[in-house]
Amino acid sequence: MAMPCTEMPVDPTAPPPKVIFSFGMGADSTSILLRWLEDPTSRDFELDELALITAHTGSEWDSTRTAMETHVLPRLAAANVRFLQVARSQRHATIDGGGIVVLDDSRHPTSLYIEGAYTLWDELTEAGTVAQASGARLCSVHSKGAALDPVIARITRGQPYRHVIGFEANELGRAAKDALHNTDLRTGEYPLIEWGWDRATANAYTESIIGTTIGRSACTFCPFTFANRSSRAAALERFRVEPHVGASALLMERIAIALNPAQGIVAGKRLTDLVREHGQLDTVLDALDADLRQREHALYEVRRILRPRKTDPTKLGNAARSVRIRGRGSRGAMEGLLRRLADDGVRKGLIEAETGDDGILRVYQHRRGPVFPTVERFFVVAPALAHEKEHERFDQWWADARPGGRRAVAA
Ligand code: SF4
């Protein structure tokens, strides 16, 4: 049963684990675990000194659950290895463990709790965005790192520990970055790099032990999955088998695109386009349509301030966004409202209405200008999952930046 991290019972007489393995459930970390279980000479600690910990984003492929429950959990139980499964229960976790739940803490695990609690899908759709392929994998930092750190602190109880991560032999850069987080208590360790094992070697070893390989562990909408040709093909095939999973990824993307046409799950390109071009994923598109037909929609007002780059004012530096909800109802009702707004505003010469190449109607009151800073303001209908969001100083920023924008249509 899930319990808050802050209420997690810690037996004061039990020695804290000396080795913590952040178990990612993918090919790399599974090969490490199997080797440790099969070959005691591959490790310099006893299995009762080890604790595995997995942070669930709540957005994992179901095939990962099947693989873990079939091939890994029985082996952990047989070897009496401690396995903790944790997740966020709310968007913002705290360093002392608030907002984090322990889904399972067992030496005889039988179930993988991939549903998590507060999911990354929830977080991203509420923010009206998608996971970003550029930058520092913030989605992972928020949904996994934030859940792992307090639990690790709680079970190690101030004692030094070795923190094992499954970076493979070609991931020296990621290991070097991780080592920057070492402290007096924490020492990062990377067995695959020590062993010189790349992904192919890890897969070959896993297959030699369990007779098959373990697929990629990732969120069903992970931009890194879709950025790579072979993992993209595998993900689209998984969508074909599980159309509702594909539809939920497209739903997230649709909300993000409505609020910002430049968004897209595939490194700024649209997953929806990939699915359409695929030719055999009509069931995914049908599932999305069915979902949209019954889902509550909202009329959103979006304002965006686009600021210049400090080193080059002709280039975009950063943007601030305000999202407000101006109405809620069925999809038909909200689209009717937007069309009336468009007809009325266009007739009066106050706005421009435009259906983008994404097929989404936006009604602009301000179009962004060519010089930064500039602003834009538009109205759009989308599934009512994105929350209102606006920085407390947004109106002041808007007033300051507005001269750079222009009305959509000269009054
Ligand atoms: S699997 Fe992808 S989308 Fe999920 S947390 Fe990791 S980087 Fe982000």
Side-chain angles (χ1 to χ4, degrees):
M1 175 178 294
M3 74 186 92
C5 169
T6 46
E7 292 173 17
M8 187 183 162
V10 172
D11 178 356
T13 61
K18 291 185 178 152
V19 181
I20 305 280
F21 183 14
S22 281
F23 182 59
M25 306 184 295
D28 300 332
S29 55
T30 300
S31 71
I32 295 172
L33 176 64
L34 292 174
R35 191 175 184 202
W36 280 347
L37 296 179
E38 292 292 319
D39 174 11
T41 65
S42 67
R43 53 181 158 81
D44 57 3
F45 55 87
E46 299 300 323
L47 290 178
D48 61 6
E49 296 175 315
L50 168 69
L52 266 63
I53 181 165
T54 294
H56 290 298
T57 65
S59 303
E60 178 64 63
W61 295 97
D62 203 52
S63 50
T64 300
R65 183 199 329 250
T66 305
M68 292 297 113
E69 290 184 352
T70 306
H71 299 294
V72 172
L73 300 195
R75 285 178 162 80
L76 288 178
N80 204 34
V81 174
R82 186 178 183 188
F83 180 34
L84 294 105
Q85 302 182 59
V86 304
R88 285 183 302 169
S89 59
Q90 60 191 43
R91 181 168 183 180
H92 295 292
T94 61
I95 192 67
D96 63 355
I100 295 163
V101 287
V102 179
L103 303 165
D104 197 27
D105 177 4
S106 172
R107 290 185 182 273
H108 297 91
T110 54
S111 303
L112 196 74
Y113 296 95
I114 60 169
E115 299 82 2
Y118 178 77
T119 71
L120 182 56
W121 191 93
D122 292 335
E123 178 181 4
L124 293 168
T125 51
E126 285 170 11
T129 189
V130 293
Q132 305 297 317
S134 57
R137 294 185 190 233
L138 287 179
C139 48
S140 179
V141 173
H142 291 167
S143 60
K144 296 183 185 172
L148 291 174
D149 294 344
V151 179
I152 291 174
R154 192 152 176 83
I155 61 173
T156 54
R157 308 206 312 266
Q159 298 300 306
Y161 63 97
R162 298 153 62 182
H163 190 185
V164 174
I165 302 184
F167 296 130
E168 50 107 347
N170 294 312
E171 293 182 307
L172 292 173
R174 292 183 74 189
K177 264 192 203 162
D178 178 79
L180 297 176
H181 297 288
N182 285 343
T183 65
D184 290 347
L185 298 179
R186 182 231 193 224
T187 305
E189 291 188 7
Y190 321 102
L192 292 182
I193 292 176
E194 278 170 36
W195 302 341
W197 283 20
D198 59 10
R199 175 73 45 80
T201 313
N203 274 332
Y205 182 78
T206 296
E207 191 162 11
S208 74
I209 301 299
I210 64 173
T212 184
T213 54
I214 295 288
R216 184 187 169 92
S217 161
C219 299
T220 53
F221 45 75
C222 179
F224 298 100
T225 299
F226 292 101
N228 170 288
R229 184 183 293 198
S230 65
S231 56
R232 178 167 65 223
L236 292 177
E237 173 58 19
R238 283 163 138 176
F239 282 176
R240 196 183 62 74
V241 177
E242 297 179 72
H244 67 283
V245 176
S248 98
L250 296 190
L251 175 61
M252 169 195 285
E253 185 183 68
R254 185 180 178 88
I255 296 164
I257 291 172
L259 303 179
N260 180 358
Q263 287 276 8
I265 283 179
V266 191
K269 294 190 197 128
R270 293 177 202 137
L271 180 59
T272 313
D273 293 342
L274 269 187
V275 167
R276 285 212 178 94
E277 288 158 13
H278 186 276
Q280 292 177 2
L281 294 174
D282 286 352
T283 49
V284 176
L285 297 167
D286 292 346
L288 175 66
D289 281 345
D291 182 295
L292 292 176
R293 270 198 300 277
Q294 54 77 37
R295 189 175 285 281
E296 184 186 42
H297 279 59
L299 176 63
Y300 287 98
E301 176 192 356
V302 180
R303 288 185 294 162
R304 189 173 279 110
I305 302 167
L306 302 112
R307 303 185 181 109
R309 207 178 282 178
K310 277 198 182 112
T311 50
D312 183 353
T314 65
K315 298 227 163 64
L316 174 64
N318 60 60
R321 182 168 87 175
S322 153
V323 175
R324 291 182 180 171
I325 293 177
R326 295 305 189 187
R328 283 176 181 274
S330 69
R331 183 183 185 183
M334 290 301 100
E335 287 181 346
L337 189 60
L338 185 62
R339 269 195 300 276
R340 285 198 296 283
L341 183 69
D343 292 346
D344 192 42
V346 169
R347 204 169 44 247
K348 291 177 183 162
L350 295 174
I351 58 175
E352 276 178 9
E354 180 180 293
T355 300
D357 64 353
D358 48 24
I360 297 174
L361 174 66
R362 294 180 189 81
V363 174
Y364 287 89
Q365 195 171 36
H366 288 279
R367 306 292 302 242
R368 61 177 73 180
V371 178
F372 301 110
T374 185
V375 300
E376 73 177 0
R377 178 184 208 164
F378 65 85
F379 297 85
V380 68
V381 170
L385 290 166
H387 290 185
E388 291 190 310
K389 191 173 174 202
E390 181 178 294
H391 191 281
E392 59 185 14
R393 294 178 57 202
F394 187 88
D395 279 338
Q396 180 60 48
W397 297 338
W398 177 262
D400 293 345
R402 200 167 148 183
R406 66 175 177 87
R407 288 197 79 87
V409 176

